[in-house]
């Protein structure tokens, strides 16, 4: 239990120091998880959110960039929605542009890519949903991942 709480604390601190997020593998398909996360981040947070997908030019009225190197800013975090085999290349690109963290979404784990990122000084989160974690820290989800049932007209401001 102590290890789980420590991991949660590390994720909270990571989110608190993050200002900009690049979503790599952003999809225009509204039923894809990247679309859900982007909608949440764009509407429920103060993060600057950028979309990366070489096959698109605009999604939800926002520009889409072909690569991390094409972004107008250096993102603090790179949130990855790509195949596991693509994680080393995305990690290398995140390191090259100067990102400070990589977040591999649910179902995505790659020990070698994670080790490369850590060796380069990046924070790494694997197999975890950014939207779920952010909502949990704002009071919208119980630690176990379900809705708290709390209804409040005030916005919780933790992250």
């Amino acid at each position: 239990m102590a290890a789980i709480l420590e991991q949660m604390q590390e994720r909270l601190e990571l989110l608190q120091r993050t200002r900009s997020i690049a979503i790599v593998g952003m999809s225009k398909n509204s039923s894809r998880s990247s679309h859900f996360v982007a909608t949440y981040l764009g509407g429920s947070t103060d993060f600057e959110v950028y979309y990366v997908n070489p096959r698109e030019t605009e999604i939800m009225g926002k520009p889409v960039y072909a690569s991390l190197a094409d972004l107008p800013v250096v993102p603090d975090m790179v949130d990855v929605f790509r195949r596991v085999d693509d994680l080393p290349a995305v990690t290398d690109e995140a390191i090259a542009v100067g990102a400070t963290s990589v977040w591999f979404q649910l179902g995505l784990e790659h020990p070698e890519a994670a080790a490369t990122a850590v060796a380069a000084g990046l924070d790494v989160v694997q197999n975890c949903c950014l939207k779920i974690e952010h909502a949990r820290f704002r009071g919208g989800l119980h630690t176990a991942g379900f809705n708290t049932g709390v209804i409040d007209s005030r916005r919780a401001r933790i992250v």
Side-chain angles (χ1 to χ4, degrees), residues 81-145:
F81 290 89
R82 297 287 306 271
R83 294 185 318 246
V84 171
D85 295 344
D86 295 333
L87 296 180
V90 174
T91 299
D92 290 343
E93 190 177 2
I95 293 166
V97 299
T100 57
S101 64
V102 290
W103 190 295
F104 301 156
Q105 280 290 333
L106 284 173
L108 298 178
E109 290 185 70
H110 198 291
E112 294 83 10
T116 299
V118 169
L122 277 69
D123 292 306
V124 178
V125 177
Q126 298 188 82
N127 192 23
C128 196
C129 178
L130 179 58
K131 176 187 177 295
I132 291 170
E133 291 304 300
H134 187 273
R136 180 188 332 269
F137 295 131
R138 288 191 58 208
L141 291 177
H142 184 275
T143 315

Side-chain angles (χ1 to χ4, degrees), residues 20-22 48-50 65 67-76 97:
S20 58
I21 300 173
E48 293 176 38
V49 181
Y50 299 91
Y65 301 90
S67 70
L68 291 173
D70 294 327
L71 293 174
V73 301
V74 173
D76 295 321
V97 299

